[in-house]
Amino acid sequence: IPQNCAYTTQHASPLTAQTTAAPALTGLGMPNGGLQVVNPSQTLYTQILSTLSSSSALNYEFADQSLLSDLYKGRWVPLPYVYNALKTLRWKGVHDVIWRDGEVRNLHLILSPKPWDEKRGEGKGEETSEMWWGVNGERLEVERGRGIEDGY
């Protein structure tokens, strides 16, 4: 739903969206669990455990993100989309106006099918799957050159 998404606010300035995130309270104000950079402490760990033991934890729709959204509402710093680029953002009519293939640093392959569960040329063949197959093929080639053939 466009009005619930922080990225909608960035459509007017796609170049800025490459380096600047939408504010934490924009849209639903919920962090995405695809990539998190954390500064752990015993105090935060205790807060998380306390929240997990409460009855409200049973209602969390997205486990980690829901818990963190509840516990740290407005007290987290969002990263630009390029560090957690959901494959769905690239889809026409979603947030393709801000998406730049060359700027993406971390591709979040949300939803099924996952490219590792498909073979090239079969299934949906989304462009993000093609990206993954290309990068994964390069990785496998480097590993083979090092004598690593572990099946992963």
Side-chain angles (χ1 to χ4, degrees):
I1 301 173
Q3 64 271 25
N4 290 345
C5 186
Y7 298 124
T8 301
T9 65
Q10 296 189 302
H11 287 194
S13 52
L15 291 179
T16 303
Q18 309 311 303
T19 57
T20 305
L25 294 175
T26 308
L28 294 177
M30 177 182 276
N32 184 287
L35 176 69
Q36 298 174 12
V37 179
V38 297
N39 185 7
S41 72
Q42 187 61 49
T43 301
L44 295 179
Y45 181 68
T46 302
Q47 288 175 349
I48 289 169
L49 286 181
S50 175
T51 302
L52 280 173
S53 19
S54 73
S55 60
S56 67
L58 298 174
N59 299 321
Y60 287 148
E61 186 177 2
F62 298 111
D64 59 337
Q65 7 187 125
S66 296
L67 177 135
L68 295 174
S69 294
D70 189 25
L71 196 54
Y72 303 110
K73 186 170 184 72
R75 298 187 300 143
W76 57 278
V77 179
L79 297 172
Y81 90 92
V82 300
Y83 295 103
N84 186 40
L86 304 170
K87 74 177 184 179
T88 54
L89 296 180
R90 192 176 194 279
W91 294 354
K92 184 80 176 144
V94 179
H95 297 297
D96 57 310
V97 296
I98 65 170
W99 184 282
R100 303 288 183 274
D101 286 348
E103 297 298 323
V104 170
R105 301 296 177 249
N106 182 55
L107 179 58
H108 185 159
L109 296 162
I110 189 172
L111 307 176
S112 293
K114 307 291 189 190
W116 50 87
D117 291 331
E118 295 182 296
K119 290 186 179 164
R120 223 176 196 156
E122 296 178 5
K124 280 184 139 179
E126 291 190 31
E127 288 185 64
T128 51
S129 293
E130 290 291 337
M131 292 173 186
W132 185 87
W133 289 322
V135 170
N136 190 54
E138 291 171 15
R139 175 190 65 87
L140 291 172
E141 191 173 313
V142 168
E143 288 181 359
R144 275 192 295 277
R146 294 181 179 163
I148 301 169
E149 293 196 49
D150 58 8
Y152 294 103

